[in-house]
Amino acid sequence: MDEKAMYKLSYGLFVLTAKEDEKDNGCIINTAIQAASEPNQLSICVNKANYTHDMIKRTGKFTVSVLSQSVEFELFKHFGFQSGRDINKFEAFDKCARSTNGVYYITEGTNAYISVTVNKTEDLGSHTMFIGEITDMETLSNVPSVTYEYYQNNIKPKPREVGKTDDGQTIWRCRICGYEYVGEELPDDFICPICKHPASDFEKVVKKWR
Amino acid sequence: MDEKAMYKLSYGLFVLTAKEDEKDNGCIINTAIQAASEPNQLSICVNKANYTHDMIKRTGKFTVSVLSQSVEFELFKHFGFQSGRDINKFEAFDKCARSTNGVYYITEGTNAYISVTVNKTEDLGSHTMFIGEITDMETLSNVPSVTYEYYQNNIKPKPREVGKTDDGQTIWRCRICGYEYVGEELPDDFICPICKHPASDFEKVVKKWR
């Protein structure tokens, strides 16, 4: 059984947003698909570690902004590398507008948004699947959508020079999304803050600081 | 509400196979994703019009073969343009082998296969979502996976010359997958045999026969 077979599946990339009372939040997901056509339904799978997950579970509403090839890495960092539990991701962020469901969608680096009201929830262990009917959707640009593969090849920063040096620091790089953790030892229970993959998906990289 | 926003979602393409008693069958789908990581689960959404759908519902087992960029249009025609209710798609087809679950996977034009035992089923109207744990998977090649967009741009035959002529026949072409129906009128209740989209997704094309 070769686990790498899972890497052959194709995905888009999305900012998933929710609103609960006065709190807005968003995270990065790769699992939005049209689940059925009659009625038109969207499904998403969200890691339970995401604060947006809990907000959707409580409010039953979300919006998916489809990332386009004009998206910058900065947006992945903004929504993917930090948690809404610690900061307000929308405090100084103005590339957004409200959908008719009251939830923010992202207006730059995106080509469409789709708003959903949840009517089915499946507990799948590490993730929850939310399925719902579409209440609003609009096209925002004609720039092609980003696939996960495009992100890996064109958006994710390329690894810096690698080599063993006296002044080298150990970097642990997530093989899945490219997130880098600095420190001699990576904790066994470390979870990648962007893609939520476990420590076993990190590789050790010794790089020379320049 | 702009329905075209749905076209911005990204998908892979797959041959979905099942086996029931001595009957083997397969169809084309675009909705296989990793739904959760702990435990590792795959989800698919299958149109109820597909015979493979009924087989999976009864047997609780399926295999997904991930299509790669080496796939030929012929394979889409073979598994997508005809129904297992009418013919035996595996009768004269030898580009396949059996996974450990007994179900065929496709060995050419693919880069991986994943076998699943269903443990959750969601009735979504036009489609059923099957979610299950992975019982076997292997990588078959390093050729990149086909995305739905790649299929549209590189695999689907390009439209032939279009023009109004005395000897022209009316073609109705599915804007989603490129399937062509020949006939003066397209029935209102026509469903595309490859991608299952309705008559409203077809456009009229008058072409000169050469």
Side-chain angles (χ1 to χ4, degrees):
Chain A
M1 190 139 113
D2 177 7
E3 300 271 342
K4 290 200 177 66
M6 298 304 288
Y7 299 163
K8 303 297 187 186
L9 300 172
S10 298
Y11 301 95
L13 285 167
F14 312 91
V15 178
L16 172 68
T17 43
K19 180 179 192 295
E20 185 179 21
D21 302 326
E22 298 311 305
K23 171 88 172 172
D24 289 288
N25 196 32
C27 66
I28 304 284
I29 62 164
N30 65 344
T31 46
I33 59 165
Q34 182 179 28
S37 49
E38 295 287 338
N40 194 8
Q41 286 156 91
L42 193 93
S43 73
I44 57 170
C45 303
V46 192
N47 194 299
K48 291 178 181 173
N50 283 311
Y51 189 60
T52 313
H53 168 275
D54 298 352
M55 292 172 71
I56 295 171
K57 204 160 175 196
R58 290 188 293 254
T59 63
K61 283 181 187 175
F62 65 86
T63 292
V64 162
S65 298
V66 184
L67 294 172
S68 79
Q69 291 179 10
S70 68
V71 67
E72 295 183 3
F73 186 62
E74 201 56 41
L75 195 84
F76 289 92
K77 285 168 66 178
H78 187 81
F79 285 104
F81 285 37
Q82 47 191 6
S83 172
R85 286 192 184 82
D86 309 321
I87 64 137
N88 177 354
K89 296 186 190 181
F90 284 95
E91 191 168 20
F93 187 86
D94 59 3
K95 298 161 189 170
C96 55
R98 293 211 183 267
S99 174
T100 49
N101 67 349
V103 177
Y104 275 132
Y105 64 91
I106 312 303
T107 54
E108 275 189 38
T110 52
N111 59 19
Y113 71 86
I114 302 171
S115 293
V116 174
T117 295
V118 177
N119 51 30
K120 287 198 169 74
T121 300
E122 281 288 353
D123 184 341
L124 302 180
S126 58
H127 293 63
T128 299
M129 179 180 281
F130 298 107
I131 307 170
E133 289 195 32
I134 292 159
T135 57
D136 192 13
M137 57 181 157
E138 295 298 340
T139 303
L140 300 172
S141 102
N142 289 320
V143 178
S145 300
V146 159
T147 60
Y148 190 69
E149 191 190 14
Y150 184 92
Y151 170 80
Q152 293 284 342
N153 296 334
N154 300 280
I155 297 177
K156 194 175 86 176
K158 292 279 176 283
R160 280 163 281 182
E161 189 183 334
V162 173
K164 288 196 178 292
T165 68
D166 287 348
D167 58 344
Q169 286 198 52
T170 303
I171 308 287
W172 298 85
R173 184 184 299 133
C174 176
R175 283 180 297 177
I176 310 302
C177 74
Y179 175 83
E180 294 186 348
Y181 173 92
V182 179
E184 206 46 45
E185 293 300 331
L186 182 75
D188 286 345
D189 59 353
F190 191 76
I191 304 269
C192 176
I194 180 164
C195 70
K196 316 299 175 196
H197 276 72
S200 57
D201 280 320
F202 279 68
E203 59 192 1
K204 196 172 182 174
V205 179
V206 178
K207 76 181 175 193
K208 183 175 177 174
W209 291 95
R210 284 167 296 179
Chain B
M1 189 140 115
D2 177 6
E3 300 272 341
K4 291 201 177 64
M6 299 303 288
Y7 299 163
K8 303 297 187 186
L9 300 172
S10 298
Y11 302 95
L13 284 168
F14 313 91
V15 177
L16 171 69
T17 42
K19 180 178 192 297
E20 185 179 22
D21 302 325
E22 297 312 305
K23 171 89 173 172
D24 288 288
N25 196 34
C27 65
I28 304 284
I29 63 164
N30 65 344
T31 47
I33 59 166
Q34 183 180 28
S37 49
E38 293 289 335
N40 194 7
Q41 286 156 92
L42 192 92
S43 73
I44 57 169
C45 301
V46 192
N47 194 299
K48 292 179 181 173
N50 283 310
Y51 188 60
T52 312
H53 168 276
D54 298 352
M55 293 171 68
I56 295 170
K57 203 160 176 196
R58 290 188 294 254
T59 62
K61 284 182 187 173
F62 65 86
T63 293
V64 162
S65 298
V66 184
L67 293 173
S68 79
Q69 291 178 10
S70 68
V71 67
E72 294 184 3
F73 185 62
E74 202 55 41
L75 195 85
F76 289 93
K77 284 168 67 179
H78 186 80
F79 285 104
F81 286 36
Q82 46 191 5
S83 172
R85 285 191 186 82
D86 309 321
I87 64 137
N88 177 353
K89 296 185 190 181
F90 284 93
E91 191 169 20
F93 187 86
D94 59 2
K95 299 161 187 169
C96 55
R98 293 212 183 266
S99 172
T100 50
N101 67 350
V103 177
Y104 275 133
Y105 63 91
I106 312 302
T107 54
E108 275 191 38
T110 52
N111 59 20
Y113 71 86
I114 302 170
S115 293
V116 174
T117 295
V118 176
N119 52 27
K120 287 198 169 74
T121 300
E122 279 288 353
D123 184 341
L124 302 179
S126 59
H127 292 62
T128 298
M129 179 180 280
F130 297 106
I131 307 170
E133 291 194 32
I134 292 159
T135 57
D136 191 14
M137 58 182 157
E138 294 298 341
T139 302
L140 301 172
S141 103
N142 289 321
V143 178
S145 299
V146 158
T147 60
Y148 190 68
E149 191 190 15
Y150 184 92
Y151 171 79
Q152 293 285 339
N153 297 333
N154 299 282
I155 297 176
K156 193 174 87 177
K158 292 281 176 283
R160 279 162 280 182
E161 188 183 334
V162 172
K164 287 194 178 293
T165 66
D166 288 346
D167 60 344
Q169 285 197 54
T170 303
I171 308 286
W172 298 85
R173 184 183 301 134
C174 176
R175 283 180 297 177
I176 309 302
C177 74
Y179 175 82
E180 295 186 347
Y181 173 92
V182 178
E184 206 46 47
E185 294 300 331
L186 182 75
D188 286 345
D189 60 353
F190 191 76
I191 304 270
C192 177
I194 180 164
C195 70
K196 315 301 175 195
H197 277 71
S200 57
D201 279 322
F202 278 69
E203 58 192 1
K204 195 172 184 174
V205 179
V206 178
K207 77 181 173 192
K208 184 175 178 175
W209 290 93
R210 285 169 295 182

